[in-house]
Amino acid sequence: MPVLNIKNISIKGIAATVPKKVVHNSDYPYLTEKEKNFITKNIGIHSRRITAPDTTASDLCFHAAVKLLKDLNWQPSEISVLIFVSQTPDFITPCTAALLQTRLGLPKNCLAFDINLGCSAYPYGLSVVGSILQNIPGGKGLLLVGDKSSQLVNDKDKSAALLFSDAGSATALQNDHKASPMWFDLCTDGEGAKSLMVKGGAGRHPFHPRSLDEKEETPGVIRHDLNLILKGLDIFKFSVTKIPPSVKMLCEAAGIPQEHIDYFVFHQANKLINQTLGKRLAIPLEKMPDTLNEFGNTSSASIPVTLAKKLPGILGSGQHTILLSGFGVGLSWGTAIIHTENLYICPLIELE
Amino acid sequence: MINKDEFTRLIEAEFQVENPKCQLTPSTKYKETEEWSSMLALLVIVQITDTYNVVLDEQDLKNCPTISDLHQLVVSKQNQP
């Protein structure tokens, strides 16, 4: 779509939750030491966070939302918009946003629905909540974004098992006539849908008695129909060809020279992709916060997790211009430029 | 025009991270070597992206059995408008 410009919307606060349980890639049992070292060195991921089996993505988001509402001194009764963006909802139906509305004690006249997106979720979600709130003077909204990727990835699939962490987040937005405009470039290329996909379990390939039969697709890549398929080379090409033009175009459309951007917070895909983006856009390393080493790829929540881990103090005072860019499953990508002023970012929450 | 020997040395350097004794020639069927893996494939693609500003994908690798084929493809893509 053409560049989207959203006025009168301010981001008031961000919180993110990760599970306390740390998994080290060096302990991965299905590769030799040499292979593990080679992979972890190049993808840049040493440890990951995995939830308890009975914890869902919405649980992680819920804890972030409760803490954020409390810290901002917002009452649940004030919230008129709730959007949950995830690929790992609690149920096939109803939408998880409805369950979160009642769990958070939000009013019944609160608009609530889910969006199914992954690594591009954050810019997309900001644009949707912002667009709706534009028409609600003084209105307040919550964007909850998170994934439990551990439920999708087969541990015996070496192409994906060492990449993902679980995480959830909450972002508070408010209609505010003093806010600077937010800018968005939101794009899709469904031709690449098969590069990142869970084939089974929904309408096209419903669950059947053999859905959980594991197959060795290529050596070391074992999965069943409900597991995530990840074609790393295709995702590399997609990311490094689509994101740099999106960033440049949006800076130009917004009239903000790239060098005036204080931070570029990219989806944390893997070290090779993120380094290549940095090189292609000539971004100084200190302007690209990175949480891959400790948290890996937290899917839809990677941008708020990185903000919460790396920038709470800095963004907490003064004005800043930050660029956010998410890219992945769909294939879908979104870039946003936002201006922040005394943005409250809750230090990263860890859930038992 | 990218020199074929330089191109071969560039790819060889990536293989040597995995195995310092590895040697490649333009006719090497690189995917049949002991060193080849999906991770190495990604490193090769990254190196080609960085050096020649040409981004290859999985299908490109499938279409190129030898280093020489890969070299030709990169040259042709570099010459595309």
Side-chain angles (χ1 to χ4, degrees):
Chain A
M1 73 178 287
V3 165
L4 187 64
N5 176 218
I6 297 181
K7 297 184 179 73
N8 302 328
I9 299 297
S10 171
I11 298 178
K12 296 296 185 188
I14 298 171
T17 311
V18 293
K20 204 161 193 175
K21 184 182 173 188
V22 181
V23 175
H24 296 281
N25 277 351
S26 56
D27 296 333
Y28 185 66
Y30 301 105
L31 289 173
T32 64
E33 284 304 310
K34 197 178 162 205
E35 286 172 318
K36 275 188 288 196
N37 290 339
F38 186 60
I39 291 177
T40 53
K41 180 174 151 252
N42 288 300
I43 62 172
I45 299 167
H46 289 84
S47 61
R48 298 175 293 113
R49 301 296 181 101
I50 303 298
T51 61
D54 58 353
T55 301
T56 67
S58 82
D59 294 333
L60 296 167
C61 292
F62 171 79
H63 286 279
V66 168
K67 178 82 166 76
L68 187 59
L69 289 174
K70 181 168 171 276
D71 290 357
L72 291 174
N73 201 21
W74 282 18
Q75 301 308 312
S77 58
E78 297 175 284
I79 304 298
S80 44
V81 177
L82 167 69
I83 305 293
F84 176 67
V85 195
S86 181
Q87 305 160 96
T88 48
D90 286 10
F91 300 101
I92 289 176
T93 196
C95 72
T96 306
L99 307 171
L100 285 162
Q101 173 269 333
T102 193
R103 194 173 172 194
L104 287 164
L106 308 188
K108 289 194 171 58
N109 66 352
C110 174
L111 171 165
F113 63 89
D114 289 5
I115 299 174
N116 180 338
L117 282 173
C119 306
S120 63
Y122 199 64
Y124 267 82
L126 289 178
S127 77
V128 172
V129 177
S131 299
I132 297 170
L133 281 177
Q134 270 189 315
N135 297 309
I136 309 174
K140 293 178 175 177
L142 282 178
L143 169 65
L144 304 186
V145 173
D147 271 304
K148 182 183 176 182
S149 299
S150 60
Q151 79 185 51
L152 302 179
V153 174
N154 193 312
D155 202 36
K156 289 177 275 210
D157 175 357
K158 70 173 183 186
S159 70
L162 301 176
L163 299 177
F164 295 97
S165 278
D166 304 327
S169 70
T171 301
L173 296 98
Q174 184 172 13
N175 185 313
D176 173 1
H177 67 276
K178 294 191 297 250
S180 300
M182 301 197 276
W183 297 84
F184 294 91
D185 176 40
L186 303 169
C187 304
T188 313
D189 181 6
E191 263 193 45
K194 288 182 178 169
S195 298
L196 259 174
M197 175 181 260
V198 176
K199 271 192 176 169
R204 188 65 67 192
H205 302 289
F207 185 84
H208 61 86
R210 306 204 61 184
S211 290
L212 300 177
D213 289 358
E214 291 184 332
K215 287 173 257 204
E216 185 155 16
E217 307 288 342
T218 53
V221 177
I222 296 171
R223 59 186 171 226
H224 58 63
D225 283 355
L226 306 191
N227 288 141
L228 182 74
I229 299 166
L230 185 153
K231 296 186 178 173
L233 300 183
D234 291 353
I235 299 303
F236 177 83
K237 181 175 182 180
F238 155 68
S239 309
V240 306
T241 53
K242 301 298 187 197
I243 300 309
S246 172
V247 169
K248 286 179 186 167
M249 187 278 287
L250 195 64
C251 286
E252 201 176 316
I256 299 168
Q258 200 184 298
E259 56 274 20
H260 289 193
I261 304 274
D262 296 314
Y263 294 99
F264 296 79
V265 186
F266 289 104
H267 165 56
Q268 303 289 294
N270 69 50
K271 188 171 135 189
L272 292 170
I273 288 178
N274 289 47
Q275 276 186 346
T276 306
L277 291 179
K279 278 186 211 160
R280 295 200 123 194
L281 285 161
I283 299 171
L285 272 180
E286 64 273 17
K287 283 192 172 188
M288 272 182 70
D290 172 359
T291 50
L292 275 168
N293 179 41
E294 198 176 346
F295 299 108
N297 179 339
T298 45
S299 186
S300 56
S302 69
I303 292 172
V305 163
T306 302
L307 289 167
K309 182 66 186 175
K310 294 289 182 176
L311 299 176
I314 294 165
L315 298 186
S317 63
Q319 296 185 339
H320 299 275
T321 302
I322 57 178
L323 182 142
L324 315 170
S325 188
F327 44 88
V329 63
L331 299 172
S332 162
W333 65 106
T335 302
I337 296 176
I338 58 173
H339 302 280
T340 64
E341 185 170 0
N342 303 335
L343 172 63
Y344 174 70
I345 302 184
C346 177
L348 197 64
I349 303 162
E350 292 189 321
L351 186 69
E352 284 290 348
Chain B
M1 186 70 171
I2 306 164
N3 178 291
K4 194 185 281 188
D5 284 332
E6 280 176 24
F7 182 84
T8 306
R9 296 287 81 78
L10 184 88
I11 306 301
E12 186 181 68
E14 292 302 319
F15 278 66
Q16 286 175 347
V17 175
E18 173 76 335
N19 170 14
K21 290 180 184 160
C22 178
Q23 290 194 322
L24 302 180
T25 68
S27 60
T28 303
K29 292 186 172 171
Y30 58 95
K31 283 172 281 182
E32 294 172 16
T33 61
E34 269 181 37
E35 291 80 15
W36 187 248
S37 67
S38 56
M39 192 69 226
L40 188 53
L42 187 51
L43 291 175
V44 166
I45 285 181
V46 172
Q47 189 56 254
I48 291 172
T49 305
D50 283 354
T51 312
Y52 303 114
N53 205 25
V54 169
V55 189
L56 303 182
D57 60 21
E58 194 160 2
Q59 193 56 45
D60 292 327
L61 293 183
K62 275 186 189 155
N63 294 342
C64 295
T66 66
I67 300 285
S68 181
D69 297 325
L70 210 51
H71 169 257
Q72 263 182 12
L73 181 71
V74 172
V75 169
S76 71
K77 281 186 184 268
Q78 225 184 17
N79 291 334
Q80 279 169 10

